[in-house]
Amino acid sequence: MSVTPLLKPITQFSKELQKLAEAAVRAQRQAYCPYSNFAVGAALQHSSSEITVGCNYENCTLQSCCAERCAIVKANVEGKRTATAVAVYGAPAGWQGVGDGTVVCPPCGLCRQLLVEVADLSDNYNTFQVLLVSRDFQNGKLFLLRDLMIEKFGPADVGVDLAVLRQGK
């Protein structure tokens, strides 16, 4: 059984993860969330060290696109189906980073499932990292995706050949 990671100062993570956290915080500021007033930013790290960001977007029918999904779809449009990590930052819209440095925003269930697909396509499910950035921007919790999605369900479980998907067919 896995143990929930403790909060650590962002400065104690690798430089790559620090950049990823910063990108998620910047993306969060672009969120369109007039109904929930809760803004989320996500940043995907690709093996090339490129970063793809996304933010949540809501509409008046109370449908939304989560930040993680936005980043995944944007990366796919750019021809990047694989990633090694994601950083997520969520807070009330207009948040200035003052206050509780222990609160983080984990991905919802659907986003976790989409991250499983990205990790499976990347052939790194067991090492895919999920960094949750605290509301005060100073701390983070680093998980492995496998610890957030125990007994995952992925493309191979429905008979899909991952090698074919990795080729983009």
Side-chain angles (χ1 to χ4, degrees):
M1 185 164 193
S2 63
V3 177
T4 301
L6 298 174
L7 277 168
K8 289 180 15 179
I10 292 290
T11 56
Q12 290 184 9
F13 294 110
S14 71
K15 293 292 183 197
E16 279 192 332
L17 286 175
Q18 289 177 46
K19 287 180 185 176
L20 200 61
E22 291 168 8
V25 171
R26 280 192 311 275
Q28 183 261 3
R29 294 179 184 138
Q30 300 303 315
Y32 178 73
C33 54
Y35 305 100
S36 71
N37 197 39
F38 194 80
V40 181
L44 281 175
Q45 177 79 55
H46 304 285
S47 59
S48 63
S49 295
E50 289 180 88
I51 295 174
T52 303
V53 297
C55 60
N56 61 319
Y57 186 94
E58 302 172 348
N59 69 46
C60 65
T61 63
L62 301 181
Q63 300 296 311
S64 68
C65 182
C66 296
E68 300 90 334
R69 284 189 272 165
C70 180
I72 291 166
V73 170
K74 181 180 177 190
N76 187 66
V77 168
E78 296 171 350
K80 297 176 260 186
R81 286 203 176 127
T82 63
T84 58
V86 66
V88 181
Y89 175 74
W95 187 260
Q96 298 299 312
V98 178
D100 198 341
T102 64
V103 177
V104 296
C105 177
C108 73
L110 180 55
C111 288
R112 291 178 196 207
Q113 185 62 48
L114 287 167
L115 289 167
V116 163
E117 188 100 2
V118 170
D120 277 355
L121 289 171
S122 306
D123 197 25
N124 64 4
Y125 172 73
N126 288 316
T127 59
F128 192 96
Q129 297 178 309
V130 179
L131 176 59
L132 307 180
V133 182
S134 68
R135 282 201 185 160
D136 69 355
F137 322 129
Q138 302 303 308
N139 301 298
K141 283 187 177 186
L142 184 62
F143 291 85
L144 291 176
L145 180 60
R146 70 174 187 221
D147 293 330
L148 291 177
M149 286 295 282
I150 299 167
E151 297 297 325
K152 74 162 176 92
F153 183 83
D157 295 310
V158 293
V160 173
D161 182 353
L162 284 167
V164 172
L165 289 180
R166 288 185 188 118
Q167 295 169 8
K169 299 182 180 182

